[in-house]
């Protein structure tokens, strides 16, 4: 039986969509949250992984031929890679990140997954906001499951909290088991 033009177009579209691999269809993400798929791995791409407290923030004046840079000093509450617990760790970020809203506040507690420093000595969180997590006053990392690519259960719509070392181990195990 011949189909109408609209039915044929709809049928053709359904056949086309059905033939696409499942990876071609991406779920919608809330605005402002970049989800870093685990196969891109926070832990494997990080040069620094630590939980720390912001102690100083300073804008460095660019010299001739250089870029504007922000210098952030952290007290490392727990070092997991590239940083030792108890040390003062100084990082430098391109100031353009600050203009885009990626800022640190004095006294703020965070867990960071930072890229290894570039040739210019600059770093930033792996995957942008995906590599930066708030830490509560008890020292636990506050995790939004969707942010790290974990499924969100209907019976647990809120955020997870775990100690930095535990969070690191869970992510690392998950990333190592990815195909």
């Amino acid at each position: 039986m011949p189909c109408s033009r609209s039915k044929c177009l709809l049928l053709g579209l359904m056949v086309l969509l059905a033939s696409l691999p499942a990876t071609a269809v991406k779920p919608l993400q809330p605005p402002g949250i970049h989800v870093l798929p685990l196969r891109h791995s926070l832990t494997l791409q990080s040069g620094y992984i630590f939980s720390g407290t912001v102690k100083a923030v300073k804008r460095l004046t660019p010299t001739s031929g250089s870029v504007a840079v922000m210098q952030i000093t952290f007290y490392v509450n727990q070092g997991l890679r590239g940083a030792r617990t108890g040390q003062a760790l100084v990082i430098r970020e391109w100031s353009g990140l600050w203009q885009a809203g990626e800022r640190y506040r004095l006294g703020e507690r965070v867990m960071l997954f930072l890229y290894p420093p570039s040739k210019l000595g600059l770093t930033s969180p792996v995957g942008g906001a995906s590599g930066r997590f708030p830490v509560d006053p008890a020292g636990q990392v506050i995790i939004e499951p969707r942010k790290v690519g974990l499924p969100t259960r209907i019976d647990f719509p809120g955020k997870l909290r775990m100690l930095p070392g535990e969070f690191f181990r869970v992510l690392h195990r998950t990333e190592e088991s990815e195909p």
Side-chain angles (χ1 to χ4, degrees):
M1 165 168 96
C3 62
S4 70
R5 181 178 171 92
S6 61
K7 285 183 182 178
C8 285
L9 285 173
L10 182 60
L11 181 61
L13 181 60
M14 288 174 53
V15 168
L16 177 65
L17 287 175
S19 68
L20 291 174
T23 57
V25 180
K26 294 182 180 180
L28 292 175
Q29 298 302 328
I33 295 180
H34 171 72
V35 175
L36 186 71
L38 288 178
R39 67 181 161 274
H40 293 288
S41 73
L42 286 172
T43 64
L44 298 177
Q45 292 188 21
S46 297
Y48 298 109
I49 302 173
F50 66 94
S51 170
T53 304
V54 178
K55 291 298 180 187
V57 176
K58 179 180 179 183
R59 185 177 195 280
L60 302 180
T61 307
T63 58
S64 173
S66 69
V67 297
V69 171
M70 298 301 295
Q71 180 175 288
I72 306 100
T73 303
F74 295 93
Y75 172 81
V76 178
N77 299 98
Q78 184 172 6
L80 297 162
R81 179 180 298 153
R84 291 181 327 278
T85 300
Q87 89 173 94
L89 177 67
V90 179
I91 66 164
R92 295 177 5 173
E93 286 188 342
W94 173 55
S95 67
L97 292 176
W98 286 64
Q99 294 166 357
E102 295 286 322
R103 299 179 183 199
Y104 297 98
R105 297 178 323 277
L106 289 178
E108 179 182 16
R109 293 182 70 179
V110 291
M111 179 164 183
L112 294 173
F113 294 80
L114 299 174
Y115 288 111
S118 69
K119 290 178 183 177
L120 297 175
L122 304 178
T123 187
S124 63
V126 173
S130 294
R132 179 176 170 167
F133 298 85
V135 174
D136 69 15
Q140 293 191 318
V141 182
I142 302 168
I143 305 147
E144 294 180 48
R146 289 180 301 192
K147 186 175 176 180
V148 291
L150 299 173
T152 307
R153 296 181 1 208
I154 293 172
D155 59 334
F156 187 80
K159 298 174 183 171
L160 304 172
R161 294 176 191 264
M162 59 179 75
L163 294 173
E166 180 184 15
F167 179 45
F168 170 75
R169 285 187 294 279
V170 166
L171 277 180
H172 194 65
R173 271 195 312 266
T174 304
E175 292 168 356
E176 284 183 332
S177 68
E178 287 274 317

